[in-house]
Amino acid sequence: MSGTAPARLQNLWDDAKAAGMTEPERLVYRSNILGSDKRVTNYGGGNTSSKIFQKDPLTGEDVEVLWVKGSGGDSASIKLDGFATLYMDKLRALKGLYRGLAHEDEMVGYLPHATFNLNPRAASIDTPLHAYVPHAFVDHMHPDAIIAIAASKDSKALTQQIFGDEIGWLPWKRPGFELGLWLEKFCLDNPGAKGVILESHGLFTWGDTPRECYEQTIDTINKAIAWFEEKTAGKPAFGGQVVAPLPADERRAVAARLMPKIRGLISNEFKMLGHFDDSAAVLEFVGSRDLKPLAALGTSCPDHFLRTKIRPLVIAFDPAKPDIDAVVAGLEQATADYRADYAGYYDRCKHPDSPAIRDANAVVYLMPGVGMFTFAKDKATARISGEFYVNAINVMRGSSAVSTYQGLPEQEAFDIEYWLLEEAKLQRMPKPKSLAGHVALVTGGAGGIGKATAVRLLREGACVVLADIDEAALASANEELGKAFGKDVVRPVTLNVTEEAVVIAGFAKAVVEFGGLDILVSNAGIASSAPIEDTSLELWNRNMDILSTGYFLVSREAFRLFRQQKIGGNVVFVASKNGLAASPNASAYCTAKAAEIHLARCLALEGAAAQIRVNVVNPDAVLRGSKIWAGEWLEQRASTYKTDKDGLEEMYRERSLLKRSVFPEDIAEAIYFFASDASAKSTGNIINVDAGNAQSFTR
Ligand code: NAD
C-alpha cells in the first residue's frame, strides 16, 4: 500500500502440530496464529468459531455445539476458556423468537439459555453471525487491507473487481441478530462463495476444515494486499508529504512538553494515562497533505472508533517554525473546542433512552512532524487505542489511494458508541483501584524500600517509573515487576539524583512514557557511619549530595510538572528516624536526613495552594531487602554496637517500643497512605515506621 506497507502474510498452518489436537484445541490454534499478526486483525477484534459434535452431558447423545470466541479477549492469546459454547439446535430455535430489527437487542438475553456444558464464558454480540453461517469453520477478522476496501465509497464494486464471485459483499449493518440472518441468507443464495466483505467493518471467511478456513482468510487478505500494491505503486500516500518529521530526540522533547499539559486539560473526571507513537506510519500520515480532511472523516470499523472516539484532535503545528510555547498556550482552547464538538455530536444523535454523555475529550492527538499521543484511563488502553488508530491510518492509506475513503455515518457510529448493550458492559466493569490513572516515580526504585513501594503502588493500579543509579539492579527490578504486573505499567529510568541535567532528562523520559506524573517518592539513599573526626569532606558531601541536594532536584522537577498539569500532586520523602533523632557516629547522614525533612516542610508550604502535598516517612532499621544493610554500613553499625547482622536485627527489635522488626513492606504501606487520597487532608506531616522509638516521637 506504500513504502511502510507490509509484504504478504505467511501461511503459518502446521499440519504436524494440528494433527494431534482435539477440534476445540485446533480452534485455539487457528485463532492464535490468526491473531499473531496485527495485519490479520486488530487487538481484541474479530472472532473465530467451529461447529463441533460433542457428547451432551445431559443425554449422552452427540449434539452440534458452536464454539465461538466469547466476550472480551484477544485471538492471539485466547485459550480454551476464552470460548463460549452453545447448543446449535437452540441457537437455530432462537429464530422463532425474533420479533424484528427494532427488538434485536433482546436476543442477547436469550444466548445464556443456549449454553452448553455450564460454560461460564459469556457469548459475545457476534455469536449469531457465526451460528447462522452454514459452514463448520468460520473466521471473522478485521484486516487493514480488507477494511480499506470496506471503507471505500465504491466498496461493492471494488470487492467484485478484486475477488469476482468468490468473495461477496454486504452493506453496513451493526453486528447483531439481524446481521446473522443476513449472513445466512447470503450463504444460501451464494453457495459457491468462500467469504463476504462487510461494508465499513471487516471480513467473514469459512471452510469445511479448520485449515481450509484459515487458508481462505490468509489468501483473501493477501489478494487484497497484492491488489493494493499494484494499484498504489509509485503513488505518494495521503497526497504526499507537506511536513517533514523533526529528528527523533526533538520529537520526544516536544512530547515531554505537551503530554503533561494535555493530560492536565483532560483529567477533570479521571486521571488519564498517555502513550506516544512516532512510528513511520504515524509520521507519514501526520506530515501528509490530506491529514486534516482524512482525520475529520473519522474511523470506519466499529472497533476502531470505539477505541479512538469518532475522530482525533489535530494539533496545529509547523515544525519549520517551531513555536512550542504557542502550541502549549493553544491547547486549552483546542481541547475545549473538541469537547464542544463532541457534545454537539452527542446532542445530534442521542435517542430518548440513550445513556448520559461520557467523557467528551479526544483519545487521539495528532501532531505534524511529531507523532501521535493517545490518552485513556489505563496505560494498556492508551497504547491499544494508538494501535487502533494505526490500523485506521492503514485503512485510510489504502482506501484514499484507490477510491474515496468514508468514515462510518455519524448516527451509526453513535448508535454503537452509546448502544445500551455497550453501556451495560461498562456498568459491569469493576470499580477502579485507588491509584488507577496515577503515575508514580520512585527514586532508588531498585532498592529494598523502593521496590516494595513500587509493588504497593502497582497493586493499587498505579503506573510506576523506577529511577535508580544502579543499572543492573534496575533492569532486574523492572523485569520482575513487569512480569508480575504487566509490561505496560512499569518503566525503568537510569538516573543519578545528584546530577541536575540527568534528573531533568530522566523526568522528561518518564513523562513521555505515561503522559505525566502524580506521585514522587523520593527514596534514593545511602548510609554512612564515621565519628566526626574521621568524616572526610567527601563523605560529608556525598551524604548532602544524595540525601539533600538529590531530594531538592527531583522535587523541583516534580513541582514543575505538577504546575503544568494543574491537577495537584503528591511528594513523599523517605527520610529516617535519624533525621529526627541524633545517632552516634553518623553525623553526615543524620544531618542530611534532617535537611531532607525540613525541605519537605518547606515544599508542603509552597505546594499547598496547588493541591501539591508533601509528607515524610521515617523508617528505622529495615534490614531485610535493603542494600544499605548489605555493605559497609552494616559492618560499621555492628561494630558500633559490638555485634553481627543477626545480633543487630535482634538489638533493633529489642530497642523498639513494640518489640517488632520493621520490613520494607511496612514502609511501603505508609508511603501508599501518603500517596493516596486516604491522606487527602495531610501535608507537611511525618510518619515514623520504626516499631516505636521515644527519641523520634514528633512534636
Ligand atoms: P537500598 O540501598 O536497598 O536502596 C537505595 C537505592 O537507592 C539503591 O537501589 C541505590 O542504587 C539507589 N541510589 C543510591 N544513590 C543513588 C543516586 N545518587 N541516584 C539514584 N539512585 C541512587 O536501601 P533502602 O533501605 O531501601 O533505603 C531506601 C531509603 O530509606 C534511603 O533513603 C535510606 O536512607 C532510607 N532509610 C532506610 C533505612 C533502613 O533501615 N533500611 C532506615 C532509615 C532510612
Side-chain angles (χ1 to χ4, degrees):
M1 285 193 269
S2 88
T4 53
R8 308 288 192 283
L9 302 173
Q10 260 185 299
N11 182 342
L12 301 175
W13 188 271
D14 182 347
D15 259 338
K17 264 194 195 158
M21 295 177 178
T22 63
E23 205 56 87
E25 285 167 352
R26 262 194 289 275
L27 172 60
V28 173
Y29 173 62
R30 187 171 104 225
S31 311
N32 292 165
I33 55 176
L34 284 167
S36 67
D37 193 325
K38 291 282 164 282
R39 292 171 295 170
V40 175
T41 202
N42 47 19
Y43 176 85
N47 27 54
T48 42
S49 71
S50 296
K51 299 181 183 84
I52 302 172
F53 280 88
Q54 289 185 283
K55 225 166 246 335
D56 186 341
L58 293 177
T59 64
E61 278 170 24
D62 269 359
V63 288
E64 193 181 4
V65 179
L66 175 71
W67 283 69
V68 59
K69 183 180 155 224
S71 196
D74 180 50
S75 296
S77 55
I78 197 167
K79 299 194 173 68
L80 269 184
D81 66 1
F83 288 89
T85 48
L86 303 102
Y87 287 97
M88 270 306 298
D89 58 346
K90 294 191 183 185
L91 289 171
R92 290 191 184 105
L94 285 186
K95 287 189 221 162
L97 293 174
Y98 185 47
R99 297 194 292 150
L101 190 57
H103 306 276
E104 79 166 343
D105 286 0
E106 73 185 17
M107 300 311 289
V108 176
Y110 290 122
L111 293 178
H113 293 277
T115 303
F116 172 82
N117 204 16
L118 303 178
N119 182 351
R121 172 65 57 184
S124 89
I125 202 81
D126 284 355
T127 301
L129 281 54
H130 286 263
Y132 300 146
V133 168
H135 295 277
F137 304 96
V138 180
D139 289 342
H140 166 45
M141 297 284 119
H142 293 163
D144 292 346
I146 297 290
I147 304 179
I149 299 162
S152 290
K153 208 167 181 178
D154 50 353
S155 69
K156 186 176 184 182
L158 291 181
T159 305
Q160 174 67 31
Q161 188 187 335
I162 302 166
F163 299 105
D165 292 338
E166 188 178 284
I167 302 290
W169 181 90
L170 285 174
W172 162 256
K173 162 79 35 208
R174 190 175 73 173
F177 203 82
E178 183 77 14
L179 183 56
L181 297 180
W182 282 24
L183 280 163
E184 179 179 47
K185 182 169 181 332
F186 172 83
C187 291
L188 297 176
D189 292 348
N190 301 277
K194 303 270 175 56
V196 59
I197 287 182
L198 306 181
E199 187 187 20
S200 293
H201 184 166
L203 176 69
F204 262 86
T205 30
W206 44 78
D208 293 333
T209 65
R211 178 179 174 161
E212 201 181 297
C213 179
Y214 169 80
E215 289 180 343
Q216 185 61 48
T217 306
I218 298 299
D219 290 350
T220 308
I221 302 168
N222 273 339
K223 208 167 192 176
I225 292 175
W227 184 84
F228 273 111
E229 272 177 9
E230 195 193 308
K231 289 285 166 194
T232 59
K235 271 197 206 169
F238 309 120
Q241 186 191 72
V242 290
V243 175
L246 289 171
D249 55 339
E250 288 178 37
R251 296 199 293 269
R252 291 192 84 77
V254 172
R257 278 288 311 277
L258 256 69
M259 290 178 83
K261 184 72 192 174
I262 297 174
R263 180 169 188 255
L265 288 166
I266 64 171
S267 292
N268 34 347
E269 265 185 75
F270 336 85
K271 288 211 158 63
M272 292 292 184
L273 293 167
H275 185 77
F276 177 56
D277 182 344
D278 59 351
S279 59
V282 169
L283 289 173
E284 180 185 54
F285 182 58
V286 297
S288 74
R289 185 198 69 190
D290 297 341
L291 164 68
K292 275 195 185 160
L294 282 174
L297 289 176
T299 54
S300 54
C301 176
D303 260 15
H304 293 182
F305 69 73
L306 272 178
R307 294 282 190 162
T308 63
K309 283 242 171 75
I310 185 151
R311 60 183 63 90
L313 188 160
V314 179
I315 299 170
F317 178 62
D318 180 1
K321 292 178 250 132
D323 184 353
I324 295 297
D325 290 336
V327 175
V328 169
L331 281 174
E332 190 161 351
Q333 190 59 49
T335 50
D337 289 348
Y338 186 95
R339 283 191 294 268
D341 190 54
Y342 183 85
Y345 149 78
Y346 176 85
D347 287 337
R348 278 192 302 282
C349 300
K350 71 176 175 204
H351 305 285
D353 61 346
S354 289
I357 187 168
R358 303 196 193 107
D359 180 29
N361 288 298
V363 172
V364 180
Y365 300 77
L366 301 174
M367 189 164 180
V370 178
M372 168 173 71
F373 315 114
T374 43
F375 283 88
K377 284 190 218 168
D378 63 79
K379 173 67 185 181
T381 307
R383 172 180 57 76
I384 291 164
S385 301
E387 289 171 9
F388 271 82
Y389 201 76
V390 172
N391 288 121
I393 288 174
N394 292 337
V395 165
M396 289 186 278
R397 188 195 300 110
S399 174
S400 63
V402 298
S403 173
T404 304
Y405 168 77
Q406 53 178 13
L408 205 60
E410 189 172 81
Q411 188 65 56
E412 289 296 330
F414 179 90
D415 288 348
I416 291 214
E417 193 176 348
Y418 283 90
W419 200 350
L420 292 173
L421 294 173
E422 193 64 33
E423 175 71 8
K425 214 155 103 187
L426 294 176
Q427 297 299 338
R428 283 199 300 270
M429 303 260 274
K431 208 170 144 264
K433 294 185 180 162
S434 68
L435 294 181
H438 289 64
V439 184
L441 186 146
V442 182
T443 71
I449 292 172
K451 200 169 78 180
T453 301
V455 166
R456 186 71 187 92
L457 303 181
L458 285 161
R459 260 175 39 211
E460 290 300 329
C463 290
V464 174
V465 179
L466 302 167
D468 208 292
I469 196 172
D470 181 339
E471 279 194 46
L474 189 59
S476 96
N478 181 55
E479 169 96 18
E480 181 190 329
L481 299 187
K483 256 194 204 132
F485 295 94
K487 291 210 178 318
D488 276 313
V489 294
V490 195
R491 291 286 186 280
V493 171
T494 310
L495 166 158
N496 179 351
V497 295
T498 68
E499 289 180 40
E500 183 176 22
V502 172
V503 168
I504 292 173
F507 271 71
K509 187 173 172 215
V511 156
V512 177
E513 295 299 335
F514 294 120
L517 186 74
D518 304 289
I519 299 161
L520 165 66
V521 180
S522 185
N523 156 81
I526 49 155
S528 72
S529 176
I532 185 69
E533 316 86 284
D534 298 337
T535 299
S536 64
L537 180 59
E538 190 276 326
L539 184 67
W540 176 267
N541 283 341
R542 183 149 35 102
N543 276 278
M544 289 299 166
D545 281 351
I546 297 173
L547 302 175
S548 181
T549 309
Y551 279 54
F552 147 69
L553 286 174
V554 296
S555 301
R556 189 180 65 180
E557 276 330 287
F559 263 62
R560 285 173 174 165
L561 277 169
F562 294 157
R563 292 206 192 278
Q564 276 181 56
Q565 292 177 143
K566 297 199 179 96
I567 47 173
N570 206 313
V571 178
V572 184
F573 278 9
V574 180
S576 170
K577 177 215 78 181
N578 291 357
L580 295 174
S583 179
N585 297 339
S587 56
Y589 177 74
C590 293
T591 309
K593 284 290 181 187
E596 199 183 287
I597 293 173
H598 206 60
L599 172 63
R601 294 191 186 104
C602 295
L603 299 184
L605 203 65
E606 274 191 51
Q611 296 299 312
I612 301 168
R613 300 193 288 119
V614 186
N615 291 288
V616 176
V617 174
N618 282 336
D620 186 35
V622 184
L623 275 70
R624 204 218 291 156
S626 168
K627 283 188 272 167
I628 289 177
W629 286 98
E632 234 179 296
W633 168 260
L634 170 74
E635 284 160 29
Q636 288 156 346
R637 289 284 96 183
S639 99
T640 297
Y641 293 110
K642 303 201 173 10
T643 180
D644 60 8
K645 186 177 182 187
D646 290 343
L648 262 186
E649 202 162 7
E650 178 61 19
M651 186 204 88
Y652 285 125
R653 185 164 45 241
E654 281 308 314
R655 194 182 70 179
S656 74
L657 292 170
L658 297 169
K659 310 284 178 232
R660 300 185 70 174
S661 294
V662 183
F663 302 122
E665 294 73 23
D666 300 321
I667 313 303
E669 195 60 38
I671 293 171
Y672 164 62
F673 172 70
F674 275 143
S676 74
D677 273 356
S679 63
K681 315 281 170 71
S682 281
T683 193
N685 267 315
I686 297 175
I687 294 182
N688 291 324
V689 186
D690 56 3
N693 187 321
Q695 256 195 311
S696 51
F697 283 178
T698 52
R699 54 188 73 82

